[in-house]
Amino acid sequence: MNWNASARLGLVVLASMFLASAACAQVERNSLAQTPPMGWNSWNKFACNVSEDLIKSVADAMATNGMKNAGYQYVVIDDCWQVGRDEDGFIVADPQHFPSGIKALADYVHSKGLKFGLYSDAGAKTCAGRVGSQGHEYQDAMQYARWGVDYLKYDWCSTFTRNAEEAYSTMSNALLATGRPIVFSMCEWGTAKPWLWGKGIGNLWRTTGDISDVWSSKKKWPDGSCCQMGMVDIVDLQVGLESFAGPGHWNDPDMLEVGNGGMTNTEYRAHFSLWALLAAPLIAGNDVRSMAPEIKEILTNKEVIAVNQDKMGREGRRVAKNDDVEVWAKEMSDGSRAVILFNRGASESEVAVTWEAIGYPSHLPAKVRDLWEHKDVGSFTGSYLAKVGSHAVVMVRIAP
Ligand code: GLA
């Protein structure tokens, strides 16, 4: 080989090394949340009543009450932990409610084998009127990394005409620049269709306005900008979004209300089952320090959680609807299907899933296991039918 040929070969090798590492960097941009994130967030139950005592006692409870064992990992303080900025522009935590500071609190949560999350906003102010991150994105990201933050929920209040993709990309890049792995939760309420552009920017994006702890209701926010919705109204808005979710990038139908008292335990079981099947982030929002046993049983049902955490990361979808009766199904990595027979009506109904609706040939015998009863129900061919109570689900796994 003459000099020219070997120089050319060297250049080709160098160029392909460069391209390979660029591709690698792209893939590694943020390789977090390969399955939907699981954790707890203060907002749904405690709103602005947050403090280091609350967060410590929640972490204590989660580490010992079966939540951590079931896979719940992130302990996230939502709005109202922050009071202002210091003379150098650094964000300042409320000294009255967080006297030991955020770093000490993150260390405490980590010492329990859990991860720690914070909240901010892409505007100048958060939704509760605290200081947002606009214009301080890199400074805030750096501070979060120094404190040991593992998860950032980033809200959308006071953003006016700001472009959502630009705003979320700015904070995403700022988090990346810190070098600390931080899950990025985009809370834009679905207004600018984040499912179309959010992959590679955030690990999860809200698809709707805020959940409220009721079966069904639709209310506008006082300024008319968005809305507060019941559980099933949120579910309806997930239809058609399933193809946008996958490992590292999830549709977020908002945090769980399970255990907050506004729905029946039957309705909470439906809520949890649907969130699991939707491959939604499972972020508990109740007082996990004092849950009734039935609530803990819902939140820690390992067979239902296994559906949510399936490594293939398919989001489930509605495969049949007949008035108040619906069938939802999720393809699992072992070829089985997780299926929800859902009755939204006021009285008991028979609900059937056909093999055709879940992509199996009708002649195929398949085993059916009930994920709430924790029982094998038997082998069925062509379809499976169950009686489903009002506002209830029967959730099964069907495996040929
Ligand atoms: C918005 C978000 C909620 C919560 C509050 C906090 O409404 O959508 O999830 O974070 O702000 O003020």
Side-chain angles (χ1 to χ4, degrees):
M1 201 187 302
N2 62 27
W3 187 87
N4 265 346
S6 62
R8 267 202 308 267
L9 182 65
L11 275 178
V12 170
V13 169
L14 270 178
S16 37
M17 278 167 64
F18 173 77
L19 286 175
S21 73
C24 220
Q26 194 60 33
V27 171
E28 283 166 10
R29 218 179 125 73
N30 165 341
S31 55
L32 299 167
Q34 290 300 301
T35 60
M38 293 177 66
W40 176 89
N41 172 298
S42 53
W43 185 255
N44 282 354
K45 171 74 184 172
F46 297 96
C48 268
N49 299 315
V50 287
S51 67
E52 66 181 42
D53 290 344
L54 170 72
I55 300 304
K56 280 172 146 181
S57 57
V58 162
D60 289 345
M62 285 174 66
T64 52
N65 69 2
M67 294 281 287
K68 181 178 144 189
N69 265 346
Y72 294 87
Q73 232 189 340
Y74 296 96
V75 179
V76 182
I77 319 178
D78 207 280
D79 212 343
C80 302
W81 62 269
Q82 63 292 67
V83 285
R85 293 194 177 276
D86 69 15
E87 57 196 3
D88 297 317
F90 285 101
I91 189 85
V92 175
D94 175 351
Q96 201 192 331
H97 294 103
F98 296 90
S100 314
I102 300 296
K103 170 85 173 77
L105 187 52
D107 288 347
Y108 186 86
V109 171
H110 291 151
S111 78
K112 298 283 158 184
L114 294 162
K115 293 192 162 150
F116 178 73
L118 277 182
Y119 161 102
S120 191
D121 187 287
K125 286 198 166 159
T126 71
C127 295
R130 303 299 177 97
V131 192
S133 288
Q134 188 162 12
H136 290 269
E137 291 89 348
Y138 280 78
Q139 190 176 19
D140 284 355
M142 184 173 74
Q143 186 66 297
Y144 304 151
R146 282 180 181 153
W147 282 340
V149 168
D150 307 298
Y151 184 111
L152 177 69
K153 173 174 167 182
Y154 203 52
D155 215 340
W156 191 237
C157 277
S158 317
T159 47
F160 307 102
T161 56
R162 199 165 176 193
N163 175 283
E165 186 172 350
E166 169 277 312
Y168 282 96
S169 299
T170 302
M171 186 45 105
S172 175
N173 290 336
L175 293 173
L176 237 108
T178 69
R180 185 175 173 87
I182 300 178
V183 170
F184 190 35
S185 157
M186 310 193 327
C187 180
E188 186 270 354
W189 321 314
T191 319
K193 299 190 168 59
W195 47 88
L196 296 179
W197 46 265
K199 181 178 170 185
I201 297 176
N203 300 106
L204 53 151
W205 48 79
R206 282 273 296 277
T207 51
T208 69
D210 289 4
I211 191 168
S212 39
D213 185 18
V214 291
W215 178 256
S216 175
S217 107
K218 284 180 192 161
K219 275 191 219 142
K220 285 273 181 203
W221 284 341
D223 67 357
S225 66
C226 194
C227 32
Q228 189 96 29
M229 272 166 292
M231 192 274 285
V232 293
D233 308 296
I234 288 195
V235 167
D236 287 335
L237 291 173
Q238 308 315 305
V239 174
L241 301 186
E242 51 276 348
S243 62
F244 299 104
H249 54 281
W250 309 101
N251 288 311
D252 175 10
D254 205 358
M255 304 173 292
L256 297 164
E257 291 283 13
V258 176
N260 278 336
M263 290 186 252
T264 65
N265 288 347
T266 301
E267 292 172 338
Y268 282 141
R269 203 174 294 149
H271 174 20
F272 193 70
S273 303
L274 286 157
W275 261 238
L277 187 125
L278 286 166
L282 296 180
I283 308 292
N286 60 320
D287 191 345
V288 291
R289 302 167 306 176
S290 57
M291 301 185 264
E294 305 78 50
I295 295 299
K296 190 163 88 179
E297 196 196 312
I298 294 175
L299 288 173
T300 59
N301 181 329
K302 290 192 178 167
E303 293 196 71
V304 173
I305 290 173
V307 170
N308 178 261
Q309 295 290 303
D310 183 68
K311 63 174 190 283
M312 189 162 67
R314 285 285 163 85
E315 178 172 328
R317 62 193 180 92
R318 191 161 70 193
V319 296
K321 178 166 176 66
N322 186 2
D323 289 333
D324 283 335
V325 158
E326 298 178 359
V327 178
W328 290 72
K330 178 185 201 282
E331 214 180 312
M332 303 288 287
S333 53
D334 65 357
S336 70
R337 306 286 190 263
V339 171
I340 292 178
L341 309 176
F342 184 29
N343 176 10
R344 302 164 69 137
S347 52
E348 186 181 84
S349 257
E350 287 190 330
V351 188
V353 50
T354 62
W355 277 201
E356 204 187 343
I358 54 175
Y360 291 155
S362 297
H363 65 268
L364 199 71
K367 288 191 253 41
V368 175
R369 181 172 174 80
D370 190 309
L371 305 187
W372 286 106
E373 297 296 324
H374 303 295
K375 273 207 304 250
D376 294 328
V377 197
S379 181
F380 295 80
T381 305
S383 66
Y384 175 70
L385 177 140
K387 283 190 176 141
V388 186
S390 162
H391 289 192
V393 295
V394 166
M395 186 169 186
V396 293
R397 192 135 160 192
I398 302 181

